[in-house]
Amino acid sequence: MTTLSVDRASTPTATSRRSASARASWVIGGIVLLVLAGVASVAFGVRSVGLDEIVGGVLGSTDTIGEAAVAKRVPRTVLAMLVGAALAVSGAVMQGVTRNPLADPGILGVTTGAALFVVAGIAFFGLASPTSYIWVAIAGAALAASFVYAVGSLGRGGATPLKLALAGAASSAAFTSLISAILLPRIDVMDSFRFWQIGGVGGAQTEKTLQVLPFLAVGALLSLATARGLNSLALGDDLARGLGEHVGRTRLLAAVGAVTLAGAATAVAGPIGFVGLAVPHLCRLLVGVDHRWLLPFSAVLGAALLTTADVVGRLVARPAEVDVGIVTALLGAPVFIAIVRRQKVRAL
């Protein structure tokens, strides 16, 4: 008869206790990084400002040019944090729902579908209010996600990571071509949204941010509410059902939350890629695969990443600016290539 000796330090209770402590440390470190990124965002730009001007501008004073510059950067910083958090959580949820390590709102064509619907709404239906942009963007994101998943599920093997990535890339190219076809004959619409198409937070306004905030809150709550269910889905559908999980309902709620986050973020900041791909993978390396930790940590690091990318875009070409969508693409493309080249990463 074979006996198994179990080290007390390696028991699940001790391991989980150490993991929780390490995870909490990483989350605290991420919050500190986010605070530093926020300070840098209000401090650096075309005009350098001092500490007194930063404090005055954050408090709403515009008596000096420096305080006015800081006051203008505050809404931009807040929007960058919200959009970064939304895209990172959306990507983490999409990866969990599809068990696809390549899932991302940009790669799967979700953000491009949202952009197509917004541009079409403006060109053909005269949409003008930010709230209408959000609703249309969410609808476009949902239809694009459904279309890509349906195409990627065709054939033998179902929706494999490679097939979904190829379907998303092809769909994104098609959506981008349609956007160009709509914009080219309409110079007025093109001039208004050529920078929006690249993705940026330079035109942030407090009013627009407040309008998108409820949608982001609903999407975040839905995503966080399905965290435990996503952990079960990672074990496979059959085992998840055996554990009492409603697989269809969990997937639906999680998908609605992810699409709402991606659509709302795209409506207010334009299509920004690779945040939803790179951040969740980095967070898994630091806090593990438990979505109860992964989703909040992804939100923190996503906000810090996009805020930092916005600061970099302001500094590298002063007095001009590089849109944050370009900066994230330059940072995220190598990450995407590295993930694809990892032969062992075939599913989550």
Side-chain angles (χ1 to χ4, degrees):
M1 181 177 180
T2 305
T3 59
L4 297 177
S5 60
V6 180
D7 185 2
R8 184 180 300 274
S10 65
T11 60
T13 303
T15 303
S16 61
R17 187 180 296 116
R18 288 200 309 270
S19 319
S21 176
R23 289 167 176 171
S25 298
W26 282 115
V27 171
I28 293 172
I31 294 173
V32 172
L33 180 63
L34 176 59
V35 172
L36 293 176
V39 173
S41 181
V42 299
F44 298 119
V46 175
R47 180 182 178 84
S48 300
V49 296
L51 181 59
D52 294 339
E53 291 175 318
I54 293 175
V55 174
V58 170
L59 295 177
S61 175
T62 57
D63 295 336
T64 67
I65 297 178
E67 289 178 343
V70 172
K72 188 175 180 180
R73 292 171 191 165
V74 170
R76 179 174 185 161
T77 302
V78 173
L79 182 61
M81 291 180 177
L82 290 175
V83 171
L87 292 176
V89 173
S90 177
V93 172
M94 288 182 182
Q95 291 169 12
V97 169
T98 62
R99 300 183 65 197
N100 180 0
L102 302 180
D104 164 78
I107 293 174
L108 295 185
V110 175
T111 55
T112 316
L116 173 61
F117 268 55
V118 170
V119 172
I122 295 168
F124 299 131
F125 302 101
L127 297 182
S129 68
T131 304
S132 62
Y133 291 173
I134 298 169
W135 283 110
V136 170
I138 292 174
L143 290 177
S146 301
F147 176 76
V148 170
Y149 190 81
V151 172
S153 300
L154 297 176
R156 299 172 59 182
T160 64
L162 179 59
K163 288 166 63 178
L164 284 175
L166 292 175
S171 299
S172 293
F175 296 155
T176 301
S177 298
L178 290 174
I179 291 173
S180 298
I182 294 172
L183 289 177
L184 285 176
R186 299 169 176 83
I187 303 300
D188 54 338
V189 179
M190 181 185 295
D191 288 340
S192 300
F193 285 88
R194 55 179 177 159
F195 295 112
W196 177 85
Q197 279 187 276
I198 299 173
V201 293
Q205 297 177 1
T206 302
E207 180 182 357
K208 292 182 179 179
T209 302
L210 291 176
Q211 288 178 335
V212 78
L213 192 58
F215 296 90
L216 295 177
V218 170
L221 289 175
L222 285 174
S223 299
L224 293 174
T226 58
R228 187 183 295 274
L230 291 174
N231 289 340
S232 299
L233 292 182
L235 303 174
D237 289 0
D238 293 337
L239 186 54
R241 290 190 184 94
L243 294 174
E245 188 66 41
H246 296 276
V247 173
R249 184 178 65 186
T250 299
R251 274 210 170 91
L252 177 62
L253 291 176
V256 170
V259 166
T260 301
L261 288 173
T266 302
V268 74
I272 298 176
F274 293 108
V275 176
L277 173 72
V279 172
H281 280 280
L282 175 60
C283 292
R284 285 190 190 91
L285 294 176
L286 300 178
V287 300
V289 297
D290 188 344
H291 286 81
R292 292 172 296 179
W293 286 91
L294 178 62
L295 297 184
F297 192 44
S298 295
V300 172
L301 280 196
L305 172 63
L306 198 65
T307 305
T308 303
D310 184 43
V311 175
V312 171
R314 284 184 247 166
L315 296 179
V316 295
R318 284 196 298 183
E321 293 185 6
V322 178
D323 286 302
V324 68
I326 298 176
V327 178
T328 57
L330 292 175
L331 295 175
V335 176
F336 175 69
I337 294 172
I339 294 171
V340 172
R341 288 179 60 86
R342 286 183 59 191
Q343 297 298 321
K344 294 182 180 180
V345 181
R346 301 187 182 275
L348 292 177

